[in-house]
Structure formats: C-alpha cells, structure tokens
Amino acid sequence: RRSSDLRVVNDVPSRDRDIAMVFQNYALYPHMTVADNLAYPLKVRGFSRQEVRTKLGEVAERLRIADVLDRMPDELSGGQSQRVAIGRMLVRQADVFLMDEAISHLDAKLRAHMRTELRHLQKTLGVTTLFVSHDQLEAMSMGDRILVMNDGAIQQFEIGRASCRERV
C-alpha cells in the first residue's frame, strides 16, 4: 500500500476495519451452497446480481472450484472447503487480508499451486496480507517479511535479504 493509504485502526470497531479473513477451520455457512457462500459478502454490500455473478466466476475459475458452486459445504473435500473460504475472502476486495493456516489442509500439488496463486494475487491486488503458517517453505516462498514468534515473543524478523535476528 501507498503511505497515503496507511491508517491506524486500533480504535476502529472491527466491523469498520475492512479486513477479510480465512480461518484454518474454513468457517463456511453450512446452510448455503458454495456459490451463496462466495456471494454473501458481495450481497450484504449491495453489489448487483451481474457484479456478483462476474466476481463469482472470476474467483471460482482462479481457485478451481467452478465445478462445485452448486454443492453444500458438507459435500466438499477439505481442499475444496479451504478454497471456498479463500474465495470468500478474495471477493471482499478488502484493505487487508488475514490468513490463518489458509492452505494447510490442501494436498501437496494444490498447496504449491495456491502458494503461487496467492502470492500473485497479493502482488496484483496490492492488498496487505498477513499469512500465518507453521510451514517454513510456505513462509519463505510467500513472504516479503517474515516474523518468527515463540510464546508471543518475536524471535526473528526478516525483510527481503536483510535480517534482524535479535530477540525483541
């Protein structure tokens, strides 16, 4: 983000922060189809049916879930559920994306694809993204900045090739 876009949101109510999140446990609405799960953030913000349909198609194609749009969440594999959760975050077009172990349940091939895709999306969209992972390969391949924590204390902080290894 440009420095002119930066704003402190500590005292802003969470509903007004424009943050989209993917939880490790998916958090899909069980009574809605995949398409409805993806469309929900757009509908509550008043997008037209055409805008919703267009964004759904783009995200579903990108995440390889176009063939499951009419299914219910309990009919999906873990990987499909995770991609739907990621899709619901992407359609939001929020100022910040928070991802908690967002691709941890995917198989190796799809996980590698999603690492590349999420990195590309983050760069293309220019959205500040905080990605939590216990996987070192994931962190190294996706992060511009890497923060290693242990029991809430920062152990290591890396920016690009420069490194700060002091205990903070």
Side-chain angles (χ1 to χ4, degrees), residues 15 18-20 39-48 91-92 94:
R15 70 178 179 275
D18 200 18
I19 297 172
Y40 184 75
L42 302 173
K43 289 179 179 178
V44 297
R45 284 173 181 74
F47 282 74
S48 72
V91 298
R92 279 264 286 107

Side-chain angles (χ1 to χ4, degrees), residues 130-145:
L130 178 63
F131 189 92
V132 176
S133 178
H134 291 90
D135 184 306
Q136 185 176 1
L137 173 63
E138 221 161 74
M140 299 300 285
S141 66
M142 293 181 68
D144 293 326
R145 297 174 187 95

Side-chain angles (χ1 to χ4, degrees), residues 131-164:
F131 189 92
V132 176
S133 178
H134 291 90
D135 184 306
Q136 185 176 1
L137 173 63
E138 221 161 74
M140 299 300 285
S141 66
M142 293 181 68
D144 293 326
R145 297 174 187 95
I146 299 172
L147 182 70
V148 177
M149 297 183 75
N150 184 22
D151 290 330
I154 297 171
Q155 301 293 309
Q156 184 176 340
F157 180 65
E158 305 226 2
I159 302 175
R161 300 230 183 252
S163 173
C164 300

Side-chain angles (χ1 to χ4, degrees), residues 58-59 61-64 86 90 99 103 110-125 142:
E58 291 170 0
V59 168
E61 186 65 32
R62 180 168 291 216
L63 296 177
R64 300 180 183 175
I86 291 168
L90 291 177
M99 304 178 83
I103 59 176
L110 188 53
R111 196 170 180 171
H113 167 75
M114 288 307 300
R115 273 197 302 264
T116 302
E117 187 65 29
L118 288 172
R119 182 74 176 150
H120 173 73
L121 283 169
Q122 194 275 329
K123 291 293 185 186
T124 303
L125 300 174
M142 293 181 68

